[in-house]
Amino acid sequence: MILTPTLLWLLAGSLLCLAELFLPTAFVAFMMGLSAFAVAGCSLVLPYVNLQIFLWMVFSTVFVLLSRRLIPKGTARAIADSQEAKTLTEIPPGEAGRVIYEGNSWQARCEDTNATIPPNQNVIVVGRKGTTLIVLPENLLHS
C-alpha cells in the first residue's frame, strides 16, 4: 500500500476527529480534523507538502475561530439573593457549617459572626464567597 499525501491527510483527519470523542478539546481536534480533510482535497491539486502543511495550519486556525463564534458562551449562574436554605449542621460563630440549598449540600457561614445557627433551622442566603454560602437565620430577618 502506497501512502500518498492525500491518504495521509485523510488518516490524520480521521484520527483527529476520533480524538474529539475521547478527549475534551472543545472542538479544537475536530476542527483540525476537518481542516485535514479539506487539505486532503487540496492535495489532489497541490503536490507540495510544505504548502499543504501551511494550508492545514491556516484552515485549522480559521475553523477553530469560526467554531468559537458559533458555540454559545456559558455563563455561570449566580446565586440569587435572599433564597431560603436549611442548616444540616450547626453553624458556630465565625465558623462554617453545612446547609442544604436547592437540593445540594453547601458549606455556609453566618454573616453575623456572633450568632450560632442550630441544625434544621431555616436560613436566608444573602451571598456567596467562592463555594461558601453566606447566610442569616430567618428569624433574625423577620424580627
Side-chain angles (χ1 to χ4, degrees):
M1 180 171 153
I2 299 173
L3 292 176
T4 63
T6 303
L7 190 58
L8 288 174
W9 284 114
L10 290 173
L11 181 64
S14 299
L15 290 174
L16 285 166
C17 288
L18 281 174
E20 186 64 45
L21 292 175
F22 302 107
L23 302 171
T25 63
F27 293 113
V28 173
F30 184 71
M31 292 300 141
M32 291 172 69
L34 291 180
S35 299
F37 290 142
V39 172
C42 293
S43 71
L44 296 171
V45 179
L46 300 171
Y48 307 109
V49 176
N50 290 341
L51 183 58
Q52 293 171 11
I53 293 171
F54 177 75
L55 282 175
W56 177 71
M57 290 189 299
V58 170
F59 287 162
S60 294
T61 303
V62 169
F63 287 177
V64 167
L65 292 176
L66 288 177
S67 71
R68 298 284 185 207
R69 293 182 149 211
L70 298 175
I71 298 172
K73 293 189 182 352
T75 56
R77 192 173 66 103
I79 293 178
D81 290 338
S82 301
Q83 294 290 322
E84 288 188 21
K86 189 169 207 164
T87 56
L88 293 173
T89 64
E90 178 179 291
I91 302 176
E95 294 184 33
R98 304 270 330 154
V99 297
I100 190 91
Y101 176 73
E102 292 186 348
N104 295 312
S105 175
W106 287 72
Q107 183 174 339
R109 291 185 183 273
C110 183
E111 188 172 56
D112 182 3
T113 56
N114 298 323
T116 299
I117 305 174
N120 296 322
Q121 174 84 24
N122 288 332
V123 292
I124 303 295
V125 178
V126 294
R128 185 182 87 177
K129 283 188 178 178
T131 58
T132 302
L133 298 178
I134 309 301
V135 297
L136 280 174
E138 190 176 53
N139 58 7
L140 184 68
L141 290 176
H142 295 299
S143 56

mmCIF file of all heavy atoms in Angstrom, residues 95-141:
data_model
loop_
_atom_site.group_PDB
_atom_site.id
_atom_site.type_symbol
_atom_site.label_atom_id
_atom_site.label_comp_id
_atom_site.label_asym_id
_atom_site.label_seq_id
_atom_site.Cartn_x
_atom_site.Cartn_y
_atom_site.Cartn_z
ATOM 1 N N GLU A 95 -17.452 30.305 62.288
ATOM 2 C CA GLU A 95 -17.020 29.054 61.662
ATOM 3 C C GLU A 95 -18.019 28.631 60.597
ATOM 4 O O GLU A 95 -19.090 29.222 60.454
ATOM 5 C CB GLU A 95 -16.872 27.958 62.713
ATOM 6 C CG GLU A 95 -15.756 28.228 63.709
ATOM 7 C CD GLU A 95 -15.573 27.082 64.662
ATOM 8 O OE1 GLU A 95 -15.794 25.923 64.264
ATOM 9 O OE2 GLU A 95 -15.220 27.348 65.818
ATOM 10 N N ALA A 96 -17.655 27.587 59.876
ATOM 11 C CA ALA A 96 -18.516 27.098 58.801
ATOM 12 C C ALA A 96 -19.314 25.894 59.253
ATOM 13 O O ALA A 96 -18.894 25.136 60.127
ATOM 14 C CB ALA A 96 -17.671 26.734 57.580
ATOM 15 N N GLY A 97 -20.455 25.745 58.630
ATOM 16 C CA GLY A 97 -21.303 24.570 58.803
ATOM 17 C C GLY A 97 -21.817 24.153 57.443
ATOM 18 O O GLY A 97 -21.305 24.603 56.413
ATOM 19 N N ARG A 98 -22.866 23.318 57.421
ATOM 20 C CA ARG A 98 -23.408 22.852 56.152
ATOM 21 C C ARG A 98 -24.886 23.209 56.077
ATOM 22 O O ARG A 98 -25.609 23.150 57.070
ATOM 23 C CB ARG A 98 -23.275 21.337 55.996
ATOM 24 C CG ARG A 98 -21.897 20.816 56.139
ATOM 25 C CD ARG A 98 -20.999 20.684 55.003
ATOM 26 N NE ARG A 98 -21.393 20.428 53.681
ATOM 27 C CZ ARG A 98 -20.652 20.804 52.651
ATOM 28 N NH1 ARG A 98 -19.537 21.478 52.832
ATOM 29 N NH2 ARG A 98 -21.006 20.534 51.438
ATOM 30 N N VAL A 99 -25.321 23.611 54.880
ATOM 31 C CA VAL A 99 -26.734 23.881 54.624
ATOM 32 C C VAL A 99 -27.151 23.113 53.373
ATOM 33 O O VAL A 99 -26.319 22.730 52.552
ATOM 34 C CB VAL A 99 -27.026 25.390 54.420
ATOM 35 C CG1 VAL A 99 -26.708 26.185 55.657
ATOM 36 C CG2 VAL A 99 -26.311 25.941 53.214
ATOM 37 N N ILE A 100 -28.447 22.884 53.268
ATOM 38 C CA ILE A 100 -28.995 22.301 52.046
ATOM 39 C C ILE A 100 -29.624 23.447 51.275
ATOM 40 O O ILE A 100 -30.454 24.185 51.804
ATOM 41 C CB ILE A 100 -29.994 21.163 52.339
ATOM 42 C CG1 ILE A 100 -30.371 20.423 51.082
ATOM 43 C CG2 ILE A 100 -31.231 21.624 53.028
ATOM 44 C CD1 ILE A 100 -29.492 19.263 50.816
ATOM 45 N N TYR A 101 -29.134 23.647 50.047
ATOM 46 C CA TYR A 101 -29.596 24.755 49.211
ATOM 47 C C TYR A 101 -29.865 24.208 47.822
ATOM 48 O O TYR A 101 -28.973 23.623 47.208
ATOM 49 C CB TYR A 101 -28.536 25.864 49.178
ATOM 50 C CG TYR A 101 -28.872 27.007 48.261
ATOM 51 C CD1 TYR A 101 -29.854 27.924 48.599
ATOM 52 C CD2 TYR A 101 -28.221 27.165 47.049
ATOM 53 C CE1 TYR A 101 -30.156 28.978 47.761
ATOM 54 C CE2 TYR A 101 -28.515 28.207 46.198
ATOM 55 C CZ TYR A 101 -29.499 29.113 46.563
ATOM 56 O OH TYR A 101 -29.805 30.150 45.726
ATOM 57 N N GLU A 102 -31.077 24.364 47.351
ATOM 58 C CA GLU A 102 -31.510 23.871 46.048
ATOM 59 C C GLU A 102 -31.149 22.406 45.851
ATOM 60 O O GLU A 102 -30.684 21.989 44.809
ATOM 61 C CB GLU A 102 -30.936 24.724 44.913
ATOM 62 C CG GLU A 102 -31.507 26.111 44.868
ATOM 63 C CD GLU A 102 -31.043 26.901 43.650
ATOM 64 O OE1 GLU A 102 -30.102 26.468 42.947
ATOM 65 O OE2 GLU A 102 -31.646 27.960 43.404
ATOM 66 N N GLY A 103 -31.333 21.607 46.908
ATOM 67 C CA GLY A 103 -31.121 20.168 46.820
ATOM 68 C C GLY A 103 -29.687 19.724 46.975
ATOM 69 O O GLY A 103 -29.397 18.536 46.896
ATOM 70 N N ASN A 104 -28.752 20.638 47.197
ATOM 71 C CA ASN A 104 -27.343 20.290 47.343
ATOM 72 C C ASN A 104 -26.809 20.771 48.678
ATOM 73 O O ASN A 104 -27.244 21.797 49.199
ATOM 74 C CB ASN A 104 -26.502 20.917 46.219
ATOM 75 C CG ASN A 104 -26.868 20.360 44.874
ATOM 76 O OD1 ASN A 104 -26.973 19.157 44.693
ATOM 77 N ND2 ASN A 104 -27.089 21.254 43.918
ATOM 78 N N SER A 105 -25.843 20.052 49.199
ATOM 79 C CA SER A 105 -25.195 20.436 50.445
ATOM 80 C C SER A 105 -24.084 21.435 50.146
ATOM 81 O O SER A 105 -23.241 21.192 49.289
ATOM 82 C CB SER A 105 -24.623 19.192 51.128
ATOM 83 O OG SER A 105 -23.892 19.561 52.268
ATOM 84 N N TRP A 106 -24.114 22.562 50.866
ATOM 85 C CA TRP A 106 -23.121 23.620 50.674
ATOM 86 C C TRP A 106 -22.471 23.942 52.013
ATOM 87 O O TRP A 106 -23.097 23.845 53.061
ATOM 88 C CB TRP A 106 -23.785 24.901 50.184
ATOM 89 C CG TRP A 106 -24.265 24.908 48.782
ATOM 90 C CD1 TRP A 106 -25.340 24.243 48.278
ATOM 91 C CD2 TRP A 106 -23.706 25.632 47.706
ATOM 92 N NE1 TRP A 106 -25.487 24.511 46.954
ATOM 93 C CE2 TRP A 106 -24.492 25.371 46.569
ATOM 94 C CE3 TRP A 106 -22.624 26.495 47.580
ATOM 95 C CZ2 TRP A 106 -24.223 25.926 45.332
ATOM 96 C CZ3 TRP A 106 -22.357 27.059 46.345
ATOM 97 C CH2 TRP A 106 -23.155 26.762 45.240
ATOM 98 N N GLN A 107 -21.223 24.371 51.958
ATOM 99 C CA GLN A 107 -20.592 24.930 53.140
ATOM 100 C C GLN A 107 -21.170 26.319 53.329
ATOM 101 O O GLN A 107 -21.405 27.035 52.359
ATOM 102 C CB GLN A 107 -19.086 24.996 52.934
ATOM 103 C CG GLN A 107 -18.339 25.488 54.145
ATOM 104 C CD GLN A 107 -16.839 25.393 53.958
ATOM 105 O OE1 GLN A 107 -16.346 24.645 53.135
ATOM 106 N NE2 GLN A 107 -16.113 26.180 54.730
ATOM 107 N N ALA A 108 -21.413 26.708 54.588
ATOM 108 C CA ALA A 108 -22.024 28.017 54.844
ATOM 109 C C ALA A 108 -21.434 28.649 56.092
ATOM 110 O O ALA A 108 -21.010 27.950 57.013
ATOM 111 C CB ALA A 108 -23.532 27.876 54.989
ATOM 112 N N ARG A 109 -21.425 29.965 56.087
ATOM 113 C CA ARG A 109 -21.023 30.760 57.246
ATOM 114 C C ARG A 109 -22.127 31.773 57.528
ATOM 115 O O ARG A 109 -22.779 32.248 56.607
ATOM 116 C CB ARG A 109 -19.725 31.517 56.973
ATOM 117 C CG ARG A 109 -18.510 30.657 56.867
ATOM 118 C CD ARG A 109 -17.259 31.530 56.724
ATOM 119 N NE ARG A 109 -16.086 30.720 56.559
ATOM 120 C CZ ARG A 109 -15.357 30.228 57.559
ATOM 121 N NH1 ARG A 109 -15.709 30.503 58.792
ATOM 122 N NH2 ARG A 109 -14.309 29.485 57.333
ATOM 123 N N CYS A 110 -22.276 32.103 58.792
ATOM 124 C CA CYS A 110 -23.258 33.112 59.170
ATOM 125 C C CYS A 110 -22.635 34.491 58.981
ATOM 126 O O CYS A 110 -21.474 34.722 59.336
ATOM 127 C CB CYS A 110 -23.676 32.918 60.615
ATOM 128 S SG CYS A 110 -24.965 34.067 61.132
ATOM 129 N N GLU A 111 -23.415 35.389 58.402
ATOM 130 C CA GLU A 111 -22.922 36.756 58.194
ATOM 131 C C GLU A 111 -22.683 37.454 59.530
ATOM 132 O O GLU A 111 -21.757 38.239 59.675
ATOM 133 C CB GLU A 111 -23.906 37.542 57.334
ATOM 134 C CG GLU A 111 -23.354 38.887 56.931
ATOM 135 C CD GLU A 111 -24.228 39.590 55.917
ATOM 136 O OE1 GLU A 111 -25.424 39.784 56.189
ATOM 137 O OE2 GLU A 111 -23.690 39.940 54.856
ATOM 138 N N ASP A 112 -23.520 37.155 60.508
ATOM 139 C CA ASP A 112 -23.340 37.688 61.856
ATOM 140 C C ASP A 112 -22.330 36.787 62.580
ATOM 141 O O ASP A 112 -22.640 35.660 62.947
ATOM 142 C CB ASP A 112 -24.675 37.712 62.602
ATOM 143 C CG ASP A 112 -24.572 38.300 63.993
ATOM 144 O OD1 ASP A 112 -23.467 38.754 64.370
ATOM 145 O OD2 ASP A 112 -25.592 38.296 64.698
ATOM 146 N N THR A 113 -21.109 37.280 62.779
ATOM 147 C CA THR A 113 -20.039 36.445 63.338
ATOM 148 C C THR A 113 -20.237 36.119 64.814
ATOM 149 O O THR A 113 -19.469 35.344 65.377
ATOM 150 C CB THR A 113 -18.676 37.140 63.158
ATOM 151 O OG1 THR A 113 -18.728 38.430 63.755
ATOM 152 C CG2 THR A 113 -18.315 37.238 61.686
ATOM 153 N N ASN A 114 -21.264 36.684 65.449
ATOM 154 C CA ASN A 114 -21.535 36.386 66.864
ATOM 155 C C ASN A 114 -22.701 35.426 67.038
ATOM 156 O O ASN A 114 -22.988 35.013 68.159
ATOM 157 C CB ASN A 114 -21.822 37.679 67.633
ATOM 158 C CG ASN A 114 -20.630 38.611 67.611
ATOM 159 O OD1 ASN A 114 -19.494 38.170 67.673
ATOM 160 N ND2 ASN A 114 -20.894 39.903 67.504
ATOM 161 N N ALA A 115 -23.383 35.078 65.954
ATOM 162 C CA ALA A 115 -24.586 34.245 66.069
ATOM 163 C C ALA A 115 -24.267 32.779 65.807
ATOM 164 O O ALA A 115 -23.422 32.436 64.984
ATOM 165 C CB ALA A 115 -25.644 34.721 65.076
ATOM 166 N N THR A 116 -24.973 31.916 66.532
ATOM 167 C CA THR A 116 -24.923 30.474 66.309
ATOM 168 C C THR A 116 -26.238 30.063 65.685
ATOM 169 O O THR A 116 -27.309 30.463 66.139
ATOM 170 C CB THR A 116 -24.725 29.718 67.637
ATOM 171 O OG1 THR A 116 -23.489 30.124 68.212
ATOM 172 C CG2 THR A 116 -24.718 28.223 67.418
ATOM 173 N N ILE A 117 -26.159 29.265 64.639
ATOM 174 C CA ILE A 117 -27.381 28.789 63.981
ATOM 175 C C ILE A 117 -27.466 27.282 64.219
ATOM 176 O O ILE A 117 -26.571 26.531 63.835
ATOM 177 C CB ILE A 117 -27.367 29.091 62.476
ATOM 178 C CG1 ILE A 117 -27.129 30.582 62.219
ATOM 179 C CG2 ILE A 117 -28.672 28.625 61.834
ATOM 180 C CD1 ILE A 117 -26.963 30.934 60.759
ATOM 181 N N PRO A 118 -28.549 26.829 64.883
ATOM 182 C CA PRO A 118 -28.677 25.393 65.166
ATOM 183 C C PRO A 118 -29.028 24.590 63.906
ATOM 184 O O PRO A 118 -29.432 25.166 62.890
ATOM 185 C CB PRO A 118 -29.816 25.347 66.190
ATOM 186 C CG PRO A 118 -30.586 26.595 65.972
ATOM 187 C CD PRO A 118 -29.625 27.612 65.448
ATOM 188 N N PRO A 119 -28.904 23.257 63.976
ATOM 189 C CA PRO A 119 -29.285 22.430 62.828
ATOM 190 C C PRO A 119 -30.794 22.502 62.571
ATOM 191 O O PRO A 119 -31.579 22.829 63.465
ATOM 192 C CB PRO A 119 -28.879 21.010 63.229
ATOM 193 C CG PRO A 119 -28.198 21.096 64.539
ATOM 194 C CD PRO A 119 -28.329 22.484 65.049
ATOM 195 N N ASN A 120 -31.212 22.167 61.355
ATOM 196 C CA ASN A 120 -32.617 22.170 60.929
ATOM 197 C C ASN A 120 -33.281 23.526 61.079
ATOM 198 O O ASN A 120 -34.476 23.622 61.339
ATOM 199 C CB ASN A 120 -33.427 21.092 61.671
ATOM 200 C CG ASN A 120 -32.940 19.714 61.321
ATOM 201 O OD1 ASN A 120 -32.591 19.435 60.175
ATOM 202 N ND2 ASN A 120 -32.879 18.844 62.314
ATOM 203 N N GLN A 121 -32.500 24.586 60.934
ATOM 204 C CA GLN A 121 -33.006 25.954 61.034
ATOM 205 C C GLN A 121 -33.120 26.529 59.627
ATOM 206 O O GLN A 121 -32.219 26.354 58.804
ATOM 207 C CB GLN A 121 -32.024 26.799 61.861
ATOM 208 C CG GLN A 121 -32.319 28.255 61.933
ATOM 209 C CD GLN A 121 -33.321 28.573 63.022
ATOM 210 O OE1 GLN A 121 -33.464 27.824 63.966
ATOM 211 N NE2 GLN A 121 -34.007 29.684 62.892
ATOM 212 N N ASN A 122 -34.213 27.208 59.332
ATOM 213 C CA ASN A 122 -34.332 27.891 58.043
ATOM 214 C C ASN A 122 -33.440 29.122 58.062
ATOM 215 O O ASN A 122 -33.417 29.865 59.036
ATOM 216 C CB ASN A 122 -35.778 28.299 57.769
ATOM 217 C CG ASN A 122 -36.642 27.114 57.440
ATOM 218 O OD1 ASN A 122 -36.170 26.111 56.924
ATOM 219 N ND2 ASN A 122 -37.931 27.219 57.735
ATOM 220 N N VAL A 123 -32.706 29.300 56.961
ATOM 221 C CA VAL A 123 -31.806 30.442 56.829
ATOM 222 C C VAL A 123 -32.038 31.086 55.467
ATOM 223 O O VAL A 123 -32.629 30.484 54.569
ATOM 224 C CB VAL A 123 -30.322 30.031 56.979
ATOM 225 C CG1 VAL A 123 -30.017 29.580 58.380
ATOM 226 C CG2 VAL A 123 -29.933 28.974 55.971
ATOM 227 N N ILE A 124 -31.574 32.300 55.343
ATOM 228 C CA ILE A 124 -31.660 33.043 54.088
ATOM 229 C C ILE A 124 -30.241 33.208 53.538
ATOM 230 O O ILE A 124 -29.347 33.651 54.245
ATOM 231 C CB ILE A 124 -32.301 34.443 54.297
ATOM 232 C CG1 ILE A 124 -33.685 34.324 54.933
ATOM 233 C CG2 ILE A 124 -32.369 35.207 52.984
ATOM 234 C CD1 ILE A 124 -34.707 33.627 54.087
ATOM 235 N N VAL A 125 -30.051 32.838 52.279
ATOM 236 C CA VAL A 125 -28.755 33.008 51.630
ATOM 237 C C VAL A 125 -28.663 34.463 51.180
ATOM 238 O O VAL A 125 -29.468 34.929 50.386
ATOM 239 C CB VAL A 125 -28.613 32.052 50.424
ATOM 240 C CG1 VAL A 125 -27.277 32.270 49.727
ATOM 241 C CG2 VAL A 125 -28.766 30.604 50.864
ATOM 242 N N VAL A 126 -27.663 35.174 51.700
ATOM 243 C CA VAL A 126 -27.510 36.586 51.365
ATOM 244 C C VAL A 126 -26.306 36.849 50.466
ATOM 245 O O VAL A 126 -26.109 37.968 50.000
ATOM 246 C CB VAL A 126 -27.416 37.464 52.634
ATOM 247 C CG1 VAL A 126 -28.727 37.420 53.400
ATOM 248 C CG2 VAL A 126 -26.251 37.047 53.505
ATOM 249 N N GLY A 127 -25.498 35.806 50.219
ATOM 250 C CA GLY A 127 -24.347 35.991 49.353
ATOM 251 C C GLY A 127 -23.549 34.717 49.215
ATOM 252 O O GLY A 127 -23.935 33.656 49.720
ATOM 253 N N ARG A 128 -22.414 34.860 48.550
ATOM 254 C CA ARG A 128 -21.544 33.701 48.337
ATOM 255 C C ARG A 128 -20.105 34.177 48.224
ATOM 256 O O ARG A 128 -19.828 35.182 47.586
ATOM 257 C CB ARG A 128 -21.956 32.972 47.070
ATOM 258 C CG ARG A 128 -21.185 31.698 46.838
ATOM 259 C CD ARG A 128 -21.590 31.042 45.575
ATOM 260 N NE ARG A 128 -20.772 31.632 44.510
ATOM 261 C CZ ARG A 128 -20.791 31.268 43.260
ATOM 262 N NH1 ARG A 128 -21.633 30.353 42.865
ATOM 263 N NH2 ARG A 128 -20.001 31.824 42.383
ATOM 264 N N LYS A 129 -19.197 33.457 48.848
ATOM 265 C CA LYS A 129 -17.759 33.676 48.698
ATOM 266 C C LYS A 129 -17.164 32.356 48.248
ATOM 267 O O LYS A 129 -17.057 31.422 49.037
ATOM 268 C CB LYS A 129 -17.114 34.107 50.012
ATOM 269 C CG LYS A 129 -17.359 35.538 50.379
ATOM 270 C CD LYS A 129 -16.540 35.926 51.583
ATOM 271 C CE LYS A 129 -16.770 37.381 51.916
ATOM 272 N NZ LYS A 129 -16.024 37.792 53.107
ATOM 273 N N GLY A 130 -16.836 32.266 46.946
ATOM 274 C CA GLY A 130 -16.336 31.013 46.396
ATOM 275 C C GLY A 130 -17.421 29.951 46.454
ATOM 276 O O GLY A 130 -18.509 30.125 45.929
ATOM 277 N N THR A 131 -17.137 28.865 47.177
ATOM 278 C CA THR A 131 -18.136 27.799 47.308
ATOM 279 C C THR A 131 -18.791 27.813 48.687
ATOM 280 O O THR A 131 -19.446 26.849 49.069
ATOM 281 C CB THR A 131 -17.484 26.419 47.079
ATOM 282 O OG1 THR A 131 -16.423 26.245 48.021
ATOM 283 C CG2 THR A 131 -16.967 26.294 45.662
ATOM 284 N N THR A 132 -18.623 28.890 49.411
ATOM 285 C CA THR A 132 -19.235 29.023 50.735
ATOM 286 C C THR A 132 -20.377 30.028 50.664
ATOM 287 O O THR A 132 -20.189 31.148 50.205
ATOM 288 C CB THR A 132 -18.188 29.480 51.774
ATOM 289 O OG1 THR A 132 -17.123 28.548 51.797
ATOM 290 C CG2 THR A 132 -18.805 29.600 53.154
ATOM 291 N N LEU A 133 -21.552 29.604 51.121
ATOM 292 C CA LEU A 133 -22.709 30.497 51.161
ATOM 293 C C LEU A 133 -22.656 31.342 52.417
ATOM 294 O O LEU A 133 -22.219 30.878 53.476
ATOM 295 C CB LEU A 133 -24.006 29.695 51.141
ATOM 296 C CG LEU A 133 -24.263 28.834 49.914
ATOM 297 C CD1 LEU A 133 -25.569 28.068 50.072
ATOM 298 C CD2 LEU A 133 -24.290 29.671 48.655
ATOM 299 N N ILE A 134 -23.103 32.567 52.311
ATOM 300 C CA ILE A 134 -23.227 33.464 53.459
ATOM 301 C C ILE A 134 -24.706 33.510 53.803
ATOM 302 O O ILE A 134 -25.541 33.843 52.949
ATOM 303 C CB ILE A 134 -22.700 34.880 53.137
ATOM 304 C CG1 ILE A 134 -21.291 34.821 52.524
ATOM 305 C CG2 ILE A 134 -22.738 35.759 54.364
ATOM 306 C CD1 ILE A 134 -20.246 34.158 53.396
ATOM 307 N N VAL A 135 -25.026 33.142 55.037
ATOM 308 C CA VAL A 135 -26.432 33.008 55.430
ATOM 309 C C VAL A 135 -26.730 33.823 56.681
ATOM 310 O O VAL A 135 -25.829 34.201 57.427
ATOM 311 C CB VAL A 135 -26.792 31.511 55.674
ATOM 312 C CG1 VAL A 135 -26.632 30.704 54.409
ATOM 313 C CG2 VAL A 135 -25.977 30.922 56.805
ATOM 314 N N LEU A 136 -28.021 34.060 56.873
ATOM 315 C CA LEU A 136 -28.538 34.668 58.092
ATOM 316 C C LEU A 136 -29.743 33.850 58.547
ATOM 317 O O LEU A 136 -30.494 33.345 57.712
ATOM 318 C CB LEU A 136 -28.993 36.106 57.823
ATOM 319 C CG LEU A 136 -27.908 37.179 57.786
ATOM 320 C CD1 LEU A 136 -28.503 38.509 57.355
ATOM 321 C CD2 LEU A 136 -27.247 37.314 59.153
ATOM 322 N N PRO A 137 -29.931 33.706 59.878
ATOM 323 C CA PRO A 137 -31.114 32.988 60.359
ATOM 324 C C PRO A 137 -32.381 33.702 59.924
ATOM 325 O O PRO A 137 -32.449 34.936 59.920
ATOM 326 C CB PRO A 137 -30.978 33.016 61.881
ATOM 327 C CG PRO A 137 -29.592 33.450 62.168
ATOM 328 C CD PRO A 137 -29.087 34.163 60.953
ATOM 329 N N GLU A 138 -33.370 32.932 59.534
ATOM 330 C CA GLU A 138 -34.612 33.507 59.049
ATOM 331 C C GLU A 138 -35.302 34.347 60.124
ATOM 332 O O GLU A 138 -35.830 35.414 59.843
ATOM 333 C CB GLU A 138 -35.550 32.366 58.572
ATOM 334 C CG GLU A 138 -36.765 32.842 57.838
ATOM 335 C CD GLU A 138 -37.570 31.662 57.329
ATOM 336 O OE1 GLU A 138 -37.901 30.774 58.108
ATOM 337 O OE2 GLU A 138 -37.862 31.658 56.120
ATOM 338 N N ASN A 139 -35.265 33.894 61.378
ATOM 339 C CA ASN A 139 -35.927 34.630 62.456
ATOM 340 C C ASN A 139 -35.235 35.961 62.721
ATOM 341 O O ASN A 139 -35.839 36.900 63.197
ATOM 342 C CB ASN A 139 -36.015 33.791 63.728
ATOM 343 C CG ASN A 139 -34.656 33.341 64.218
ATOM 344 O OD1 ASN A 139 -33.615 33.748 63.699
ATOM 345 N ND2 ASN A 139 -34.656 32.479 65.223
ATOM 346 N N LEU A 140 -33.931 36.086 62.416
ATOM 347 C CA LEU A 140 -33.214 37.343 62.593
ATOM 348 C C LEU A 140 -33.703 38.400 61.609
ATOM 349 O O LEU A 140 -33.796 39.574 61.940
ATOM 350 C CB LEU A 140 -31.697 37.114 62.433
ATOM 351 C CG LEU A 140 -30.804 38.318 62.688
ATOM 352 C CD1 LEU A 140 -30.851 38.682 64.171
ATOM 353 C CD2 LEU A 140 -29.386 38.018 62.278
ATOM 354 N N LEU A 141 -34.055 37.965 60.405
ATOM 355 C CA LEU A 141 -34.518 38.904 59.409
ATOM 356 C C LEU A 141 -35.960 39.346 59.645
ATOM 357 O O LEU A 141 -36.357 40.432 59.247
ATOM 358 C CB LEU A 141 -34.399 38.287 58.008
ATOM 359 C CG LEU A 141 -32.978 38.104 57.500
ATOM 360 C CD1 LEU A 141 -33.003 37.391 56.151
ATOM 361 C CD2 LEU A 141 -32.290 39.429 57.367
#
